[in-house]
Amino acid sequence: MAESLPEHERILQEIESTDTACVGPTLRSVYDDQPNAHQRFMEKLDACIRNHDREIEKMCNFHHQGFVDAITELLKVRADAEKLKVQVTDTNRRLQDAGKEVIAQTEEIIRCRIQQRNITTVVEKLQLCLPVLEMYSKLKEQMNVKRYYSALKTMEQLENMYLPRVSQYRFCQIMIENLPKLREEIKEISMSDLKDFLESIRKHSDKIGETAMKQAQQQKTFNTALQKQNNVNYGRNMYAINGRVPEPKYEITSKRTLEEEDEHEEEVLTAHDLVDFSPVYRCLHIYSVLGDGETFENYYRKQRRKQARLVLQPQSSMHETVEGYRRYFSQIVGFFVVEDHILHVTQGLVTRAYTDELWNMALSKIIAVLRTHSSYCTDPDLVLELKNLIVVFADTLQGYGFPVNRLFDLLFEIRDQYNETLLKKWAGLFRDIFEADNYSPIPVANEEEYKIVISKFPFQDPELDKSFPKKLPMSQSVPQIYIQVKEFIYASLKFSESLHRSSTEIDDMLRKSTNLLLTRTLSSCLQNLIKKPHIGLTELVQIIINTTHLEQACKYLEDFITNITNISQETVHTARLYGLSTFKDARHAAEGEIYTKLNQKIDEFIQLADYNWTMSESAGRASGYLMDLINFLRSTFQVFTHLPGKVAQTACMSACQHLSTSLMQMLLDSELKQISMGAVQQFNLDVIQCELFASSEPVPGFHGDTLQLAFIDLRQLLDLFMVWDWSTYLADYGQPTSKYLRVNPSTALTLLEKMKDTSKKNNIFAQFRKNDRDKQKLIETVVKQLRSLVNGMSQHT
């Protein structure tokens, strides 16, 4: 019981000192305690309450008098308070009335202060935005004046420096959205400018190339002049078309001493003078800044490849004029000059590997085009101009570092074609010369005319009579042919110039081409000339004389080539001219044609023969046709006096042999069935005239009766029948000393049978005369013996 009292006091102390919100646990402890603890706690609580009430009452009693005094004083103050309230109310009213204006002004001040603060804020913000707006305005202005590269730089500054400061503003977002569009616009515009640039250089390529080739040719001419003056080799030419000529060469150019070059020298144009390259630079920079440089490079190269294919495609009629070739070369040179310029002024847009690849592709196409179109050229002058253009074209591009060896190899192919066109042209010239020639010796009235002739042709004859007028042995075609051969050598030399070949190679080319002219063209013209129907014996004789003099002139052509090339004929690899064989072959052909035409003429006279093979007696004189033939032969052989002796002798022997053979064939003709003794006698008179002609030595140089031997077969045959010496013939047959050694048994048998038939028909009553019967028997006996000889010969063979 005593223990619970302190516990209750503790609980009461906690209740008094604890917040009412925390009383619950304390009260719960009252109910959790011993039984009847609640009752005892309530009792203790009542006791505590009574104690507090007593304390309150003591305090009230202690302060009651003061309270009463205060109330009394307060009642006294009430009246003063009422007065004070009235005064305060009045003062407040008057104060409120007086403060209305102050309030109004204060509100105005507040409003102004707010505006000032807002203005300050706006100014601060504007100061932050103005640079952005100024940069954007600058960007717009740069776009308007087409300064796109600067515009891109401005965009970069806007994005990196200015726009982040004002990114919270709406206009900034609009700007941010517009910048990619502006970039695309710049890309499109710059690409459009690039397309215009590509179109421009496509149009100006021929002008650029023409200028470059002109400068290359002038530089080469000038260097050649300097080399001749100072014997200085300036090495490879460098040209000023793209402004990359070394300074010393400008100084040399400025010090030209040749007046003509000073007068006609034009201002050197560069690629910049003809084409504005700024679009390609600008576009390259723009795409590089935009990080799309590779796209631009691929596009540029693709478009240039397309343009290259267009440039390399020639016109179908290019081969007809030199202007077509010049325009073709100018466009190609212009194309690669531009590429070379781009290569050296930009980094990475065009590389050396790219230009080399493009050039190799172009070079293959160029060579194929030139092979095709040059094959259509039939004019050597056009081929020569084409060669000169190719040389200038090659030299120009070589000056820009492009390899051109294949072009010079192509020139050797074109050179063969050039020679072919020259050969065709000179074949026409030779034909015209031969057609215009009168095939008679050249008349020379005085020494001046003689000097004119020998100035054209190296004619030398120490035995020639110096008196005038006179005739030179050759005809007009000889000096003309000689001059044309020299002209051919000059024409062939023109192609060999500027091919960067040694004198030995040029000498070899000249000699080979001249050999072709002599052995093929001139030889063919001579052969055709000799075979022409209207060329008679006189003309053939003159042709032989002409070829003899042309053959002698070959050594002068050798010297002529040597003087041009300064290559001695004694050099091991020096080719020789084959003119000797050419003219010998032509001479042999002419000689053969002389023999043929003589025989043809003899045949024409033989066809005029009109023998009466059954005549009883001869006319007592030679036949008219034969006398005409002999007169023709005499006059013809007189023309042969200028021919070499062997030619005239061979022609004369051939004619006599052919005449003998023709007469023999006439006797033995199978169509001729019978021959009388009178016809044989007449035939004998004709053969006698032939023998007299042969013995008269129509052509000098025959020994003894050599020419008469051509008629020996006829003579022995006719003597056998005229003398009727069959016993001697048959007895001596086969003996080397036989009088009728050249009489063949078959020939004698054929003629004897023709005479036997005639004897039978003309002597009907011969069987009644003893002599005639004996003769007939003799003939039959001789025929049998001859047949036995013929049969023996056939069995022996």
Side-chain angles (χ1 to χ4, degrees):
M1 182 69 180
E3 295 177 355
S4 61
L5 292 175
E7 180 64 22
H8 290 163
E9 290 177 358
R10 183 186 62 80
I11 292 172
L12 288 174
Q13 289 176 357
E14 287 182 2
I15 292 172
E16 290 177 354
S17 60
T18 303
D19 190 5
T20 56
C22 300
V23 173
T26 304
L27 295 177
R28 189 178 297 113
S29 63
V30 175
Y31 293 96
D32 291 340
D33 208 346
Q34 298 176 0
N36 298 321
H38 177 263
Q39 186 63 34
R40 289 191 296 272
F41 175 74
M42 291 301 297
E43 293 175 355
K44 189 64 177 177
L45 179 61
D46 290 336
C48 184
I49 290 172
R50 286 191 297 273
N51 289 333
H52 284 301
D53 287 338
R54 285 192 295 273
E55 289 178 0
I56 292 171
E57 184 176 355
K58 287 178 181 181
M59 186 175 292
C60 288
N61 291 330
F62 178 75
H63 293 288
H64 179 264
Q65 186 59 42
F67 175 73
V68 172
D69 293 338
I71 292 299
T72 301
E73 290 179 3
L74 182 60
L75 290 175
K76 292 179 181 179
V77 174
R78 175 183 295 177
D80 294 334
E82 290 294 335
K83 292 180 183 179
L84 181 61
K85 179 178 179 182
V86 172
Q87 291 176 356
V88 170
T89 301
D90 182 58
T91 302
N92 180 60
R93 178 182 56 76
R94 287 186 285 108
L95 180 62
Q96 290 295 330
D97 292 340
K100 286 181 180 180
E101 184 177 355
V102 175
I103 291 172
Q105 292 180 354
T106 302
E107 290 178 353
E108 181 66 21
I109 291 172
I110 292 171
R111 187 177 62 82
C112 289
R113 288 294 176 85
I114 293 173
Q115 287 181 351
Q116 183 180 9
R117 185 176 68 249
N118 291 341
I119 290 172
T120 302
T121 303
V122 168
V123 170
E124 291 175 355
K125 298 301 181 182
L126 285 178
Q127 287 177 345
L128 191 62
C129 293
L130 276 178
V132 178
L133 297 173
E134 288 175 354
M135 290 297 289
Y136 195 79
S137 175
K138 180 181 178 182
L139 171 63
K140 286 294 187 180
E141 183 180 355
Q142 289 170 340
M143 292 288 292
N144 292 334
V145 297
K146 300 182 179 181
R147 295 175 56 194
Y148 301 115
Y149 181 72
S150 300
L152 288 175
K153 290 296 184 182
T154 302
M155 287 186 198
E156 186 176 352
Q157 291 179 351
L158 275 172
E159 288 180 327
N160 296 332
M161 295 175 59
Y162 294 95
L163 289 179
R165 301 173 186 174
V166 292
S167 59
Q168 68 274 20
Y169 298 111
R170 184 178 178 185
F171 76 90
C172 178
Q173 297 300 323
I174 296 175
M175 289 182 182
I176 293 174
E177 293 174 359
N178 284 339
L179 290 182
K181 297 179 182 178
L182 291 177
R183 282 195 175 92
E184 289 300 321
E185 181 181 352
I186 290 174
K187 287 179 67 175
E188 292 176 0
I189 293 174
S190 61
M191 185 58 71
S192 176
D193 291 343
L194 177 65
K195 292 178 180 178
D196 294 341
F197 165 78
L198 293 174
E199 181 66 22
S200 174
I201 59 174
R202 189 182 70 81
K203 292 180 179 179
H204 290 86
S205 286
D206 54 346
K207 183 63 177 177
I208 296 173
E210 180 183 352
T211 304
M213 293 175 68
K214 183 177 180 181
Q215 292 299 320
Q217 196 166 15
Q218 290 177 350
Q219 187 73 22
K220 182 177 180 181
T221 303
F222 176 60
N223 286 344
T224 302
L226 286 181
Q227 288 175 4
K228 290 180 180 179
Q229 290 179 359
N230 304 323
N231 194 22
V232 175
N233 184 6
Y234 284 94
R236 190 184 71 174
N237 297 338
M238 298 292 291
Y239 310 121
I241 189 64
N242 66 353
R244 294 192 296 107
V245 177
E247 187 63 24
K249 294 198 173 182
Y250 277 125
E251 295 177 0
I252 292 174
T253 304
S254 66
K255 296 179 182 178
R256 292 183 177 179
T257 57
L258 301 177
E259 293 183 359
E260 292 184 0
E261 294 187 4
D262 288 338
E263 292 176 359
H264 301 287
E265 183 180 5
E266 298 179 357
E267 182 181 357
V268 177
L269 296 176
T270 65
H272 276 295
D273 296 327
L274 299 172
V275 175
D276 180 15
F277 285 89
S278 59
V280 69
Y281 306 150
R282 184 165 56 246
C283 195
L284 174 62
H285 291 159
I286 287 171
Y287 272 77
S288 299
V289 169
L290 295 176
D292 209 7
E294 185 176 354
T295 300
F296 172 73
E297 292 173 9
N298 294 334
Y299 177 80
Y300 176 84
R301 295 182 183 183
K302 180 180 179 181
Q303 294 302 315
R304 289 296 280 165
R305 285 182 184 276
K306 290 182 179 180
Q307 289 188 347
R309 294 189 183 95
L310 292 176
V311 167
L312 294 172
Q313 188 67 33
Q315 295 182 351
S316 58
S317 60
M318 183 179 74
H319 61 276
E320 296 178 357
T321 62
V322 69
E323 288 302 322
Y325 287 107
R326 181 176 286 111
R327 191 179 308 110
Y328 180 69
F329 287 134
S330 296
Q331 290 177 349
I332 295 174
V333 171
F335 178 89
F336 283 99
V337 166
V338 170
E339 289 305 289
D340 182 79
H341 182 78
I342 295 294
L343 172 66
H344 288 87
V345 298
T346 61
Q347 293 182 353
L349 178 58
V350 174
T351 63
R352 176 55 67 182
Y354 162 78
T355 56
D356 289 344
E357 178 189 357
L358 199 60
W359 169 244
N360 289 331
M361 180 274 291
L363 188 58
S364 299
K365 178 67 174 178
I366 292 167
I367 291 174
V369 167
L370 292 179
R371 277 202 186 105
T372 301
H373 283 264
S374 63
S375 63
Y376 300 145
C377 294
T378 56
D379 182 7
D381 295 333
L382 179 58
V383 178
L384 183 61
E385 290 182 347
L386 171 59
K387 167 258 174 182
N388 292 332
L389 280 177
I390 293 175
V391 170
V392 175
F393 173 74
D395 289 344
T396 303
L397 289 174
Q398 190 176 30
Y400 289 95
F402 295 101
V404 294
N405 291 336
R406 292 172 62 189
L407 285 175
F408 284 102
D409 294 338
L410 173 67
L411 283 175
F412 279 91
E413 298 179 23
I414 296 178
R415 180 186 175 279
D416 295 335
Q417 181 186 344
Y418 174 70
N419 283 337
E420 289 297 325
T421 58
L422 283 182
L423 292 175
K424 290 180 182 178
K425 179 179 179 179
W426 257 255
L429 294 175
F430 289 153
R431 285 194 296 268
D432 294 341
I433 290 173
F434 290 141
E435 288 292 334
D437 195 8
N438 56 9
Y439 297 98
S440 59
I442 300 176
V444 178
N446 49 50
E447 187 172 358
E448 291 182 359
E449 293 184 2
Y450 176 75
K451 290 181 178 179
I452 292 175
V453 173
I454 64 175
S455 67
K456 298 177 182 178
F457 180 77
F459 176 75
Q460 293 181 354
D461 188 358
E463 299 180 359
L464 185 66
D465 186 9
K466 297 298 183 181
S467 60
F468 298 97
K470 59 187 175 185
K471 291 184 178 181
L472 302 182
M474 66 278 189
S475 65
Q476 288 288 352
S477 62
V478 173
Q480 293 175 358
I481 291 293
Y482 183 79
I483 291 173
Q484 288 303 324
V485 172
K486 291 172 66 175
E487 289 296 327
F488 177 87
I489 294 173
Y490 276 127
S492 183
L493 177 65
K494 287 180 181 178
F495 196 94
S496 301
E497 294 173 348
S498 303
L499 292 186
H500 309 300
R501 298 292 171 177
S502 65
S503 298
T504 304
E505 291 175 303
I506 294 176
D507 180 87
D508 185 64
M509 288 188 290
L510 286 180
R511 292 178 186 273
K512 287 181 179 179
S513 59
T514 307
N515 278 331
L516 282 177
L517 177 72
L518 296 177
T519 59
R520 196 173 79 184
T521 305
L522 183 54
S523 176
S524 176
C525 290
L526 284 171
Q527 297 291 342
N528 293 334
L529 173 67
I530 291 169
K531 298 295 183 182
K532 286 187 176 180
H534 70 275
I535 297 297
L537 292 172
T538 304
E539 289 82 359
L540 288 171
V541 170
Q542 189 61 55
I543 289 172
I544 292 176
I545 296 171
N546 290 349
T547 54
T548 302
H549 287 283
L550 287 172
E551 181 181 341
Q552 295 171 355
C554 283
K555 62 179 181 179
Y556 297 100
L557 291 175
E558 294 261 10
D559 296 338
F560 178 70
I561 295 176
T562 300
N563 292 333
I564 291 176
T565 60
N566 293 323
I567 300 298
S568 174
Q569 298 181 26
E570 284 71 26
T571 304
V572 177
H573 301 290
T574 301
R576 294 289 183 266
L577 295 183
Y578 303 144
L580 297 178
S581 61
T582 297
F583 297 121
K584 284 181 180 178
D585 293 342
R587 191 158 54 250
H588 292 159
E591 293 170 3
E593 194 67 19
I594 286 178
Y595 307 150
T596 302
K597 287 188 178 293
L598 267 177
N599 294 341
Q600 290 175 352
K601 202 66 178 177
I602 290 172
D603 291 340
E604 291 176 5
F605 279 101
I606 293 295
Q607 290 175 0
L608 297 176
D610 188 17
Y611 285 103
N612 182 5
W613 298 106
T614 60
M615 66 173 59
S616 58
E617 294 182 356
S618 66
R621 62 181 182 277
S623 302
Y625 86 91
L626 188 69
M627 296 307 297
D628 292 340
L629 172 57
I630 290 174
N631 291 332
F632 164 75
L633 291 176
R634 288 185 188 279
S635 62
T636 299
F637 290 138
Q638 287 178 357
V639 180
F640 287 8
T641 54
H642 294 293
L643 286 177
K646 291 183 179 181
V647 177
Q649 293 168 13
T650 303
C652 186
M653 177 61 74
S654 173
C656 291
Q657 289 176 345
H658 184 73
L659 176 57
S660 175
T661 303
S662 299
L663 291 174
M664 180 68 77
Q665 290 174 350
M666 191 184 299
L667 279 178
L668 304 178
D669 188 7
S670 60
E671 299 294 329
L672 180 59
K673 302 300 183 181
Q674 55 186 354
I675 299 177
S676 66
M677 184 56 70
V680 173
Q681 292 172 351
Q682 181 63 43
F683 203 80
N684 182 57
L685 291 176
D686 293 343
V687 174
I688 290 173
Q689 289 299 321
C690 293
E691 292 172 333
L692 291 175
F693 168 73
S695 63
S696 66
E697 197 176 5
V699 173
F702 287 107
H703 298 289
D705 56 353
T706 303
L707 193 57
Q708 290 175 277
L709 292 177
F711 300 97
I712 190 65
D713 291 356
L714 273 174
R715 172 48 51 212
Q716 290 186 7
L717 179 63
L718 291 174
D719 285 349
L720 175 61
F721 279 86
M722 293 289 294
V723 179
W724 205 255
D725 194 7
W726 293 106
S727 58
T728 303
Y729 174 76
L730 293 173
D732 295 343
Y733 178 77
Q735 300 295 325
T737 58
S738 174
K739 181 180 179 180
Y740 305 103
L741 181 64
R742 305 300 296 270
V743 179
N744 190 291
S746 62
T747 303
L749 177 61
T750 302
L751 184 57
L752 187 59
E753 287 182 337
K754 294 177 184 294
M755 293 187 68
K756 182 178 69 171
D757 293 339
T758 303
S759 177
K760 288 180 180 180
K761 292 180 180 180
N762 292 342
N763 298 293
I764 301 174
F765 302 101
Q767 55 183 337
F768 301 106
R769 294 192 291 271
K770 183 177 183 301
N771 291 335
D772 291 335
R773 288 198 304 271
D774 293 341
K775 185 176 181 181
Q776 189 67 29
K777 290 180 180 179
L778 178 61
I779 291 175
E780 291 177 356
T781 302
V782 171
V783 167
K784 290 179 181 179
Q785 291 179 350
L786 288 175
R787 283 177 179 169
S788 64
L789 290 175
V790 171
N791 292 333
M793 291 175 59
S794 62
Q795 291 176 1
H796 180 71
T797 57

